[in-house]
Amino acid sequence: MAQWGRGRLTIVIAAALSVTVALLSGPRALASGILVRDLLATPPIETQLSMEQLEALEPHVIATRTEFTDGEVRFEGPLVTDLLRFVGDRAWSSAKITAANDYAIDIPVSDFKAYGVILARRMNGRELSRRDKGPFWLMYPLDDFKELQDPVYNNRLIWQVVKIELK
């Protein structure tokens, strides 16, 4: 009976370790890329963009202030329009951007073109960690356009982006 009890304990410990490893790999899974769904395609097309594919897109810089940072911050990452071209560049009208915590917001695709919105990977030269709202933070050039000084746009600064659904 004691042997059976130890064996069962070993299984329980192994299961607990597996759960712990899965939880700890969460941020790594988050850092593995972004899922893009083209809902205009029939049937819808899913593309998992890897970190390498996203890093291969030309980086752009936005220097701006946000209510989430102190002073002007330099954000760097690919233009969202470049990412869209990479997955197909259809006549999408909106993008539902979803964060790791399931927060989601619909954004007009026209914003990406009009304002040069980026998917920031770096802040002040440092790669964004999950703690720093990374690995991907959708960033508008808030200081460059007077109309962006509106809470509507502040709500669109979604961080820890994991999924983009295009419609």
Side-chain angles (χ1 to χ4, degrees), residues 9-65:
L9 179 62
T10 302
I11 291 170
V12 169
I13 290 172
L17 287 172
S18 294
V19 169
T20 303
V21 168
L23 289 173
L24 291 175
S25 66
R28 285 192 200 118
L30 182 66
S32 67
I34 293 179
L35 176 64
V36 180
R37 287 190 179 131
D38 179 353
L39 300 178
L40 290 185
T42 308
I45 298 170
E46 286 191 358
T47 306
Q48 179 68 41
L49 294 174
S50 69
M51 192 64 79
E52 292 78 22
Q53 289 170 310
L54 292 163
E55 287 287 334
L57 296 172
E58 181 183 348
H60 291 265
V61 173
I62 290 177
T64 195
R65 291 173 199 54

Side-chain angles (χ1 to χ4, degrees), residues 80 84 92-98 105-109 112 164-167:
V80 175
L84 298 183
W92 302 294
S93 60
S94 70
K96 180 179 178 183
I97 313 289
T98 304
I105 190 159
D106 286 313
I107 298 176
V109 169
F112 304 144
I164 301 172
E165 293 176 301
L166 301 160
K167 33 191 171 165

